[in-house]
Amino acid sequence: TVTVNVLDNGDGSLRTEVTGNGRENIKFVNTYETKPVSVTIPGKKNLEGRNLTDGEFKFALYQTNLNFEDPVLIDDTITHDANGDFMLNLGTWGEGEHYFVVKEVIPEPHAPGIHYYTGEYRIIVNVIDIGKGQTSYTYTVVKDGNTNVPIVFSNIYRPEDQQLVIEGTKNYEAARPLLTMYSRWVCMTKPVSC
């Protein structure tokens, strides 16, 4: 037990006297913690050749290491609205850098006439302490070595070539075929009357 006495010095000031066992081990320890922050990033889907349908395409989000390797799937059901807008919910993170990759989910078999974008976007999220236990984040998007690019997946729709098959029957009559065929040929190729 430790007792702290506050005494009046008689001159307007105060002093303390600490008595009891263990008074030399008294420590006041304060801790400071920050709250994690929820990270969301917008994206866009474009389709050249026809209008988009709400939810027509899907995207997969992965968490990775700082070299964008060893991906761990977070969500592969992300989709867009009829205008092509979508939101990546990267989760809730504390201070530090966090790394992600987003790709389009390419179905097998492909949708008829659709040519898919097969690249990926790399995302670096930096969560920082802004004081009073609160955090904020900034992010950088990297594509093909270019930084601070928007996340835009662009596909192309081209109708597939259709093969037209015409079927018919050829009838051949045996009566005087050479004369008949020659006469018709002469009539079609030479300006004479038959």
Side-chain angles (χ1 to χ4, degrees):
T1 302
V2 175
T3 303
V4 178
N5 294 315
V6 180
L7 304 172
D8 187 352
N9 290 324
D11 58 3
S13 64
L14 300 174
R15 71 180 188 279
T16 59
E17 289 183 355
V18 180
T19 59
N21 295 330
R23 64 180 182 269
E24 64 279 355
N25 295 322
I26 294 176
K27 294 181 181 178
F28 294 94
V29 179
N30 294 335
T31 59
Y32 177 79
E33 296 179 355
T34 57
K35 295 180 181 177
V37 64
S38 180
V39 179
T40 56
I41 298 175
K44 184 77 174 178
K45 179 66 189 178
N46 291 330
L47 180 61
E48 179 185 325
R50 69 167 172 79
N51 291 334
L52 278 170
T53 302
D54 186 7
E56 183 175 1
F57 300 99
K58 292 182 180 179
F59 312 96
L61 177 66
Y62 302 85
Q63 182 186 1
T64 70
N65 62 22
L66 59 86
N67 295 315
F68 300 100
E69 299 169 339
D70 303 324
V72 176
L73 179 65
I74 295 175
D75 189 359
D76 63 356
T77 62
I78 303 162
T79 189
H80 57 84
D81 63 18
N83 296 320
D85 298 315
F86 64 91
M87 192 65 68
L88 298 173
N89 181 0
L90 280 65
T92 302
W93 299 95
E95 288 182 78
E97 286 193 342
H98 310 281
Y99 304 89
F100 306 89
V101 168
V102 62
K103 304 177 182 181
E104 184 163 356
V105 176
I106 301 177
E108 288 296 340
H110 294 179
I114 299 294
H115 299 266
Y116 293 87
Y117 174 73
T118 58
E120 67 181 26
Y121 289 88
R122 297 176 172 186
I123 305 168
I124 304 167
V125 174
N126 186 24
V127 178
I128 58 173
D129 178 8
I130 58 173
K132 297 183 179 179
Q134 301 299 311
T135 54
S136 182
Y137 68 91
T138 60
Y139 66 90
T140 301
V141 177
V142 181
K143 176 189 172 190
D144 300 328
N146 298 313
T147 58
N148 295 319
V149 296
I151 298 174
V152 180
F153 289 92
S154 297
N155 290 353
I156 299 172
Y157 172 74
R158 288 195 188 103
E160 296 179 350
D161 293 336
Q162 300 293 320
Q163 184 177 16
L164 178 63
V165 177
I166 301 175
E167 295 182 345
T169 303
K170 170 70 175 149
N171 292 326
Y172 178 74
E173 296 180 12
R176 299 191 310 181
L178 293 176
L179 179 59
T180 302
M181 290 173 61
Y182 178 74
S183 298
R184 287 184 182 158
W185 182 81
V186 169
C187 291
M188 291 189 303
T189 60
K190 294 184 178 181
V192 295
S193 58
C194 295

